[in-house]
Amino acid sequence: MTPSSDLSAGEPLLLLSNTARRQVQFWLAGSMLAISVLVLVLIAPYAGHSLTNLVVVLPAYAAAVLVIELVTSTLLLALFYVQRSRAILVLAAGYLFSGTLVAPWVLTFPGVFSSLGIDEGIQSAAAFAALKRLGFPLFILAYAVLPDRQLARRWVTFWITAAVASVLAFIAMASWLILADDSGLRLSSAFMTDAFTPGLLWRAIPALAIALYLAGIVALAARRRTILDLWLVVVLGTLLIEIIQISYLGAGVRMSLGWWAGRLYGLISASIILVVMLSETIAVYARLSRATAAERRARQNRLTAMEALSATIAHEVNQPLGSMVTNANAGLRWLDKPQPALDEARAAMRRIVEEGHRANKVVSSIRTMFMKGTRERTPLDLNLLIEQVVKQAGPEARLGHGAVTLDLDCQAPFVIGNAIQLQQVVANLIDNALEAMRPVPARQRRLRIATRASEHNEVVVSIEDTGPGLDPATLDRIFEPFFTTKADGMGMGLMFCRSTIEAHGGRLWTSPHTPQGAVFAFSLPTTLQSLMAQEDSA
Ligand code: ADP
């Protein structure tokens, strides 16, 4: 494969939300959960031990969780901006919800900010914690079960603003209700019996939260296979351990060792997606820059090839021109003599005509490659175009006993292009395939032409043969102008095919065909993608 064939259009955009999880990620996530469970078991006997003096650490803990969750939410919103997946927007809203709720929780936590005169009674912090604990898994559940629809590009900013505004408005309203309740109505007085001991209502929260976490884990495991999904399972797993630490091992008693261990799990859980996103972003960025470098090299090679082509054309045309000037001068000299030598002059004129024809041949052979009307583009049915070319080329007759298969996807949408040029491309590739199969015994000759609609709004055409395949030693050169291994070849076909397909916004690449032979494939954007590209550039 050539460097640019690695970048074939069949390759999707590499994003965290659609990159398949790898085995190593799976083991990493599994070990992290295993270590968390081990620590849980080790701490269990001491979970009830009180650590009240650590209350001063709480603002730092809250600040860390708040910043981490808000940064995660921002990164997820950025991911949504690129990918426009509804599920990612819901997840970003979930992190915003969870992160923002940390502020009222810590501000109302009894005794933490009392030196600043903030003391909101004993129920509020527990009510905020309950909201966070039940709300966040609901967002993850929604992320896991929502059909992954892409939202329209032009509404992306609107959806981001709407999601952020709704989450903030909801939290503002909930805060107002909770604070009003705590200072006057006391509907939720069952949350805490005193500043440290939970009441009856609070006991129902962990059970409900555990049910939601488990439902989330099941939904994530059932539906998807991406890195993000895998790590969200770990997030829910650590949250599950956190609630077990806090509510059961620490008996829900604030500032106990179990409670603090749970907080630590909360911090780890909050950081998981951030760390994964940052590390994956760097990995994806590295892959992208490698691909861009390969693409740049390929483009540079093609530029060099074009320079070589122009030099060769200049050389091919200059030769007959030089010869014509020499012969014309000779003719004039023969005629200028006192006794004009008419026969010699006539011979010189004849040579001029011959050279003129030679130059004309060079120019017209190049002109057929870059024919007139190449700018004219119309919507085209590639299946129909291929059928027409195959009919004209009559490959069956040239294959002898070999078989020709047309595997055309009737769902393939239209593409925008120049019919004559694209016919020429398909005809060239079929010609090459037939030529390549000449040395193969007739019964083993198989030509397969297939089309398929790819999920990236493209139609991919592939032409497969069972010839000797591409020689790795010359693989890098087959797209160069005038490179040929055939005695009567011109070496312009593949160069023409690639530049035509790229001028249509597509790609052309090669790959080996198993068990033997070569595949030449190209992709072309569909009418829909062409319209979207126009819309973007407008
Ligand atoms: P030409 O057909 O005039 O040689 P091309 O640019 O079409 O020029 O092809 C360049 C070279 O690429 C060919 O000479 C051949 O060596 C190689 N090639 C092209 N198609 C195939 C194929 N299907 N199988 C094997 N080699 C091929």
Side-chain angles (χ1 to χ4, degrees), residues 429 432-433 436 465 468-470 478 480 483-486 489-495 518 520:
L429 296 178
N432 277 348
D465 63 65
L470 293 161
I478 56 171
E480 285 176 12
F483 174 81
T484 180
T485 53
K486 301 170 192 165
M490 213 176 143
M492 296 280 279
L494 288 180
M495 190 219 70
F520 280 81

Side-chain angles (χ1 to χ4, degrees), residues 49 63 72 134 185 311 316 319 340 367 388 460-461 487:
H49 188 73
T72 308
L134 300 182
L185 309 169
E316 292 283 313
Q319 248 182 342
R367 220 179 43 198
Q388 284 165 352
V460 178
V461 178

Side-chain angles (χ1 to χ4, degrees), residues 207-241:
L208 215 55
I210 286 175
L212 285 175
Y213 294 153
L214 290 175
I217 290 174
V218 170
L220 281 170
R223 204 172 90 95
R224 301 191 204 180
R225 296 273 175 276
T226 67
I227 295 177
L228 191 58
D229 303 332
L230 173 71
W231 286 101
L232 279 172
V233 170
V234 181
V235 168
L236 289 181
T238 39
L239 281 176
L240 195 69
I241 296 175

Side-chain angles (χ1 to χ4, degrees), residues 229-300:
D229 303 332
L230 173 71
W231 286 101
L232 279 172
V233 170
V234 181
V235 168
L236 289 181
T238 39
L239 281 176
L240 195 69
I241 296 175
E242 180 196 18
I243 195 89
I244 293 174
Q245 287 276 15
I246 292 178
S247 300
Y248 297 106
L249 298 183
V253 178
R254 286 173 174 170
M255 304 296 149
S256 62
L257 180 64
W259 192 87
W260 275 112
R263 293 282 150 230
L264 201 64
Y265 278 103
L267 192 63
I268 293 170
S269 167
S271 324
I272 289 173
I273 294 297
L274 181 63
V275 172
V276 173
M277 283 198 78
L278 289 179
S279 62
E280 273 303 306
T281 308
I282 291 168
V284 168
Y285 180 78
R287 250 177 286 162
L288 206 65
S289 63
R290 271 200 301 275
T292 318
E295 175 79 328
R296 201 174 302 136
R297 264 199 313 277
R299 198 174 304 140
Q300 190 57 44

Side-chain angles (χ1 to χ4, degrees), residues 411-432:
Q411 306 284 333
F414 277 34
V415 299
I416 299 242
N418 183 274
I420 305 171
Q421 276 189 324
L422 294 179
Q423 274 171 353
Q424 190 81 20
V425 169
V426 176
N428 267 337
L429 296 178
I430 292 179
D431 257 3
N432 277 348

